[in-house]
Amino acid sequence: MIMFRYWKNLYRKYTSNNDRGARMDNAGFCNETYESLHNPASDDELVDIAGATLDFSSTEDVPPLDPEYGSGYGNTGYSNGMTGNGVLMDLLDEPVPGVGTYEDFNTIDWVREKSKDRDRHREITSKSEQSTWALLHSISDAFSGWLLMLLIGLLSGALAGCIDISAHWLTDLKEGVCLSGFWFNHEHCCWGSNQTTFQERDKCPQWQSWAELLGGSSEGAAAYIVNYLMFMLCALLFSFLAVILVRAFAPYACGSGIPEIKTILSGFIIRGYLGKWTLIIKTITLVLAVSSGLSLGKEGPLVHVACCCANILCHLFTKYRQNEAKRREVLSAAAAVGVSVAFGAPIGGVLFSLEEVSYYFPLKTLWRSFFAALVAAFTLRSINPFGDSRLVLFYVEFHTPWHMVELVPFTLLGIFGGLWGALFIRANIAWCRRRKTTRLGHYPVLEVLVVTGITALLSFPNSYTRMSGSELISELFNDCSLLDSSQLCDYNSSENRSDSGVFSASLADRAFSNTLPDRPAGPGVYTALWQLALALFFKMLVTVVTFGMKVPSGLFIPSMAVGAIVGRLLGVAMEQMALNHHDWLIVKGWCSSGADCITPGLYAMVGAAACLGGVTRMTISLVVIMFELTGGLEYIVPLMAAIMTSKWVADALGREGIYEAHIRLNGYPFLETKEEYGHKTLAQDVMRPRQSDPLLVVLTQEGMSVGEIEGVIADTDYSGFPVVVSQESQRLVGFVLRRDLVISLDNARKRQDGVVSASLVFFLEHVPPQPFSGPPVVKLRGILDLSPFTVTDHTPMAIAVDIFRKLGLRQCLVTHNG
């Protein structure tokens, strides 16, 4: 019998103390005492996560073991192998703390966790028929999942509202202060003013720029320099506070969090990544990072924040606190909540969790995800962070229908989105790899400050790079009407073109419909187009180096901004073509003179979706998210065409999305379900040890002493051992995990008198009679997995890979004739 130890990722060798069956290099884990497992070695157990050196010894996130378990614990051992009544007892008749739990950076056993939950549910159901109290307990257990979803939705929605309000205020603080109340942002400060004008609606006496406060004047070169300097100083201060807080209190709070969430949902354990300190620091630093003006968004990190809330609230419910598989069902729902509050798209959030991040998503989780996303969206709507009864800053509504001819430019936007997505992934991964392998990674604070300084220096002169990413997208999505004073809406009036007969709609008609026909672009539009072209190149370059720094950073908003700029440029070009060449054959059939034919904001929306799809490879969920943003079903077909084209083009240049690429870069043991195993190998070609290697280390079901087993544990670093009938007959009996074995033997030595190295260990149901004068025996039948998953040595590896994917196995044993 040969043991088959298989990585969840077939294309890289992972050399951490992973219990998926690979060898563990951490010598501290090989020690044979309970204390060595609970208190890992100090400096040798630092693991590199997302390029930063992080300490996995933190146990704030549901400690796997209870350090106080020894006090007052009942005797679970033997007295000469017998109890006072002469009945042999199993060492695990009473549960030993730590048995069945997992260490940091290990993978859970999905099969065992689901089996434990089925046993727990079966026991509760059987007891519910015996008493009223047991029936109430059964009802509360069934209702606990829905209650947990309610709490997650409420907490995540409240935090998202606070983040939105705080980020908006700090962003405006870089440009000035409200005299009537420093806690008001620019828009809220001028709401109550009666001295605003239509042309300068953002100016009011209550809001003063830094130049007006410090120099008394808002005009001239001196005022411009003062505002420039204050803009840069505030940006540097916010980014410095963000990176220092992350570095000092919660290294896990950096980055997007979605790659790690995907890995955790696949069954991996990273203690502390979803803990309370990570939640607190990520919430604070996310506000600071977004306000600093860096090319990042808060949407991705909000998924991490929601999952932190879910993990912390799971502690309140026993069935989620003690079962890792059940907890991952809750985390899948929390991922849906994060997208729901990020985009105001509850249905899109559920589909995002199902399509993009979840590894195991049963139907029950679908219903609960929908409920939690609903509660979160309702909570955010009640807070009303933007003051307009909307859940997002760039909510728009388009009224002009699209035409079949426009599918051509929509497809072109999809092609650009796919090209940009593939290019961005390669460039960003190359930069992040350079950060990890060079001295650049040793100075995260300096890197953040340099990138922030360059970003602020280059972004201030251009109004479209100076504003936040959400405001830029809102500006680009906007459909020009009579009430708009934006440069992008600076078209020549119809009166200037009446002699050519281009326009026929009257002013009264346009005022009534609040829409304007296609008109020639004015000087403001051309100025805006040049500024947008410069902003496009700036965004494309700075986003590559920003994503992956040691501050909370999302990718949704920067990707959408790039696509929205390209879409708006193309939309204006199409609008002017239809205006100036309405007699062309391709235009004549659907665009008449004086009609409102082209909506540039729609092109911006399609471009934003195409670029985001090219980077993340989202499809269905992205279409629904964009549909919920715009509030119209009419534009689903253009969105589907652009997003599908974007995915095809990006997949042709590289199969991985940005999150999968970062998972591979960071070396997480993640078995991608979308990849195909293309090799024609058998299980015997991949198993460890190979047929030519030394024999597999096994334990026998009887005859081995405590000292011999402890010697095997000390001499090897395997995560578990097969138990066979004997060394001569390698017939498989079961499989025992190293961690459970270490804890059980240590517990027997400490809690039972007489257990010595010469004591025999039995994995049998019925222990044969032992000499009365000998040391007491140790029975470990309770920690033995009697039904380990096995395959034969001639099983194709393609089947083995599917087994690992669909069952979530930690290891698989390869047998030959048993």
Side-chain angles (χ1 to χ4, degrees):
M1 196 286 304
I2 303 175
M3 180 178 178
F4 171 44
R5 304 181 182 278
Y6 180 70
W7 277 108
K8 264 197 169 182
N9 192 327
L10 295 170
Y11 306 106
R12 63 178 178 271
K13 182 178 179 183
Y14 194 73
T15 54
S16 292
N17 53 335
N18 187 342
D19 66 351
R20 184 171 288 279
R23 293 178 176 268
M24 295 175 289
D25 293 336
N26 191 340
F29 192 82
C30 300
N31 294 341
E32 57 188 50
T33 62
Y34 165 84
E35 287 82 358
S36 67
L37 285 175
H38 184 62
N39 301 311
S42 58
D43 295 333
D44 293 334
E45 296 196 359
L46 296 179
V47 184
D48 188 19
I49 294 291
T53 302
L54 307 179
D55 191 354
F56 282 94
S57 60
S58 171
T59 56
E60 65 174 60
D61 185 16
V62 192
L65 304 178
D66 184 2
E68 305 296 333
Y69 84 96
S71 59
Y73 195 82
N75 183 14
T76 61
Y78 303 91
S79 176
N80 290 332
M82 300 287 182
T83 65
N85 298 327
V87 179
L88 187 66
M89 292 182 60
D90 193 330
L91 176 66
L92 296 178
D93 280 344
E94 297 183 25
V96 176
V99 172
T101 59
Y102 308 95
E103 279 291 325
D104 293 345
F105 230 55
N106 281 211
T107 307
I108 72 170
D109 190 333
W110 285 91
V111 176
R112 182 169 68 170
E113 295 298 310
K114 297 302 294 183
S115 177
K116 284 167 51 179
D117 183 65
R118 282 194 298 268
D119 293 341
R120 182 198 62 82
H121 187 266
R122 191 180 299 114
E123 181 182 1
I124 292 176
T125 303
S126 62
K127 289 183 178 179
S128 64
E129 302 174 357
Q130 300 175 4
S131 66
T132 304
W133 176 255
L135 178 61
L136 293 176
H137 179 258
S138 175
I139 295 174
S140 65
D141 180 79
F143 181 70
S144 61
W146 295 101
L147 178 59
L148 179 57
M149 294 299 110
L150 175 66
L151 296 176
I152 293 172
L154 291 173
L155 181 57
S156 301
L159 286 177
C162 294
I163 290 172
D164 287 334
I165 294 173
S166 303
H168 200 178
W169 173 65
L170 282 181
T171 300
D172 289 346
L173 192 63
K174 293 187 299 183
E175 299 183 2
V177 179
C178 183
L179 300 181
S180 58
F182 73 92
W183 55 89
F184 290 124
N185 60 40
H186 193 169
E187 185 179 4
H188 291 173
C189 183
C190 294
W191 267 358
S193 176
N194 295 324
Q195 303 180 37
T196 57
T197 62
F198 178 78
Q199 290 77 13
E200 297 181 342
R201 64 185 70 180
D202 59 337
K203 293 185 178 180
C204 62
Q206 291 81 5
W207 178 266
Q208 291 195 353
S209 65
W210 289 110
E212 292 176 292
L213 288 173
L214 300 178
S217 174
S218 61
E219 304 293 338
Y224 183 84
I225 293 175
V226 170
N227 287 331
Y228 205 149
L229 292 177
M230 290 302 300
F231 183 87
M232 291 191 60
L233 288 177
C234 289
L236 290 170
L237 175 63
F238 295 159
S239 62
F240 176 75
L241 291 176
V243 68
I244 286 296
L245 289 175
V246 168
R247 186 175 176 84
F249 296 102
Y252 291 141
C254 67
S256 168
I258 293 182
E260 288 77 15
I261 296 298
K262 289 190 66 170
T263 308
I264 291 173
L265 290 179
S266 73
F268 205 55
I269 291 180
I270 307 177
R271 301 283 180 193
Y273 194 83
L274 302 176
K276 57 182 180 298
W277 274 110
T278 304
L279 173 62
I280 295 171
I281 298 302
K282 186 130 193 175
T283 302
I284 297 173
T285 55
L286 178 57
V287 173
L288 294 170
V290 172
S291 304
S292 67
L294 288 168
S295 182
L296 49 84
K298 60 181 181 296
E299 284 67 26
L302 278 176
V303 176
H304 189 187
V305 169
C307 288
C308 288
C309 295
N311 185 70
I312 293 172
L313 291 173
C314 279
H315 297 183
L316 304 177
F317 302 89
T318 304
K319 80 174 178 180
Y320 296 107
R321 182 176 66 248
Q322 298 181 351
N323 192 293
E324 294 289 348
K326 295 293 291 181
R327 190 184 307 180
R328 273 149 183 78
E329 294 180 16
V330 176
L331 295 179
S332 295
V337 170
V339 176
S340 174
V341 296
F343 289 103
I347 301 176
V350 175
L351 293 176
F352 170 82
S353 179
L354 175 62
E355 177 185 5
E356 187 64 23
V357 298
S358 293
Y359 196 84
Y360 174 66
F361 202 85
L363 188 59
K364 178 171 58 177
T365 303
L366 178 68
W367 299 333
R368 291 180 175 174
S369 300
F370 181 78
F371 175 69
L374 169 66
V375 173
F378 174 79
T379 304
L380 186 62
R381 171 65 178 78
S382 301
I383 296 175
N384 195 15
F386 303 112
D388 56 0
S389 301
R390 303 296 187 187
L391 297 180
V392 289
L393 186 58
F394 42 87
Y395 183 95
V396 292
E397 290 186 24
F398 301 126
H399 304 283
T400 304
W402 63 278
H403 305 274
M404 290 297 295
V405 178
E406 292 183 279
L407 282 178
V408 175
F410 292 154
T411 304
L412 292 177
L413 289 175
I415 295 174
F416 172 81
L419 293 173
W420 155 246
L423 175 64
F424 172 80
I425 291 172
R426 293 189 180 185
N428 180 253
I429 292 300
W431 181 260
C432 290
R433 184 176 291 112
R434 182 178 180 85
R435 180 187 291 125
K436 291 169 68 72
T437 57
T438 63
R439 294 180 61 86
L440 177 64
H442 299 164
Y443 307 99
V445 177
L446 181 61
E447 180 191 11
V448 170
L449 291 179
V450 170
V451 174
T452 304
I454 295 175
T455 302
L457 180 67
L458 298 179
S459 63
F460 185 83
N462 189 337
S463 61
Y464 291 109
T465 54
R466 186 192 314 167
M467 63 179 65
S468 66
S470 297
E471 291 176 340
L472 173 61
I473 295 173
S474 177
E475 180 85 1
L476 297 172
F477 281 12
N478 182 41
D479 186 14
C480 290
S481 64
L482 290 173
L483 300 179
D484 286 311
S485 59
S486 169
Q487 272 190 318
L488 284 170
C489 297
D490 183 23
Y491 290 94
N492 292 329
S493 63
S494 60
E495 287 77 8
N496 296 338
R497 301 268 297 185
S498 59
D499 56 338
S500 62
V502 172
F503 298 106
S504 59
S506 66
L507 182 61
D509 294 336
R510 295 197 303 267
F512 176 77
S513 63
N514 197 31
T515 60
L516 295 172
D518 292 341
R519 297 157 295 156
V525 173
Y526 288 112
T527 302
L529 294 182
W530 279 109
Q531 291 179 335
L532 285 176
L534 295 175
L536 173 64
F537 290 105
F538 173 76
K539 287 283 185 182
M540 293 173 67
L541 292 176
V542 76
T543 304
V544 170
V545 299
T546 301
F547 187 70
M549 292 196 308
K550 299 303 175 284
V551 292
S553 55
L555 194 58
F556 284 16
I557 289 297
S559 300
M560 292 178 66
V562 169
I565 293 175
V566 175
R568 189 76 186 204
L569 293 175
L570 181 60
V572 173
M574 288 291 297
E575 181 187 45
Q576 295 304 304
M577 184 199 72
L579 170 72
N580 297 316
H581 305 283
H582 61 274
D583 54 343
W584 283 9
L585 183 62
I586 60 174
V587 179
K588 187 175 181 180
W590 55 273
C591 186
S592 60
S593 174
D596 184 15
C597 302
I598 303 293
T599 305
L602 174 60
Y603 284 74
M605 183 187 72
V606 173
C611 282
L612 183 55
V615 172
T616 63
R617 310 301 163 84
M618 296 161 53
T619 53
I620 302 174
S621 57
L622 181 55
V623 171
V624 175
I625 288 173
M626 300 305 295
F627 143 65
E628 290 185 272
L629 284 179
T630 58
L633 287 166
E634 191 174 354
Y635 305 103
I636 284 185
V637 173
L639 288 171
M640 292 176 65
I643 291 173
M644 203 67 248
T645 304
S646 173
K647 178 174 174 56
W648 285 338
V649 173
D651 284 347
L653 301 175
R655 298 290 297 177
E656 291 182 327
I658 185 65
Y659 302 129
E660 291 79 13
H662 273 271
I663 287 175
R664 183 182 294 274
L665 174 68
N666 294 323
Y668 299 140
F670 181 79
L671 189 59
E672 178 57 61
T673 58
K674 303 172 186 176
E675 292 182 0
E676 294 292 336
Y677 187 79
H679 304 286
K680 296 181 179 180
T681 53
L682 302 178
Q684 63 182 4
D685 302 322
V686 182
M687 63 187 182
R688 295 291 186 273
R690 302 281 179 89
Q691 290 181 333
S692 59
D693 294 340
L695 294 178
L696 178 70
V697 178
V698 298
L699 305 179
T700 59
Q701 64 179 354
E702 59 179 322
M704 294 188 70
S705 65
V706 171
E708 290 174 337
I709 294 180
E710 290 176 339
V712 170
I713 294 173
D715 295 338
T716 62
D717 55 6
Y718 301 123
S719 64
F721 305 94
V723 178
V724 297
V725 174
S726 65
Q727 292 291 348
E728 295 75 22
S729 174
Q730 296 267 308
R731 294 280 180 173
L732 180 64
V733 175
F735 187 82
V736 61
L737 290 176
R738 174 196 188 90
R739 174 178 170 81
D740 293 350
L741 193 61
V742 169
I743 294 173
S744 300
L745 291 178
D746 189 67
N747 181 73
R749 282 184 175 274
K750 288 185 175 182
R751 306 304 162 208
Q752 175 187 352
D753 294 334
V755 173
V756 294
S757 297
S759 299
L760 296 179
V761 177
F762 290 90
F763 293 95
L764 298 173
E765 182 68 28
H766 303 288
V767 177
Q770 301 295 316
F772 186 78
S773 58
V777 300
V778 179
K779 183 181 177 184
L780 298 181
R781 180 79 169 188
I783 65 172
L784 181 64
D785 181 5
L786 295 172
S787 57
F789 203 94
T790 62
V791 296
T792 67
D793 50 350
H794 291 286
T795 302
M797 274 305 302
I799 295 178
V801 171
D802 284 338
I803 291 173
F804 272 90
R805 285 172 175 164
K806 295 174 181 178
L807 294 182
L809 301 182
R810 298 172 70 191
Q811 65 278 318
C812 182
L813 305 183
V814 180
T815 62
H816 179 73
N817 294 333

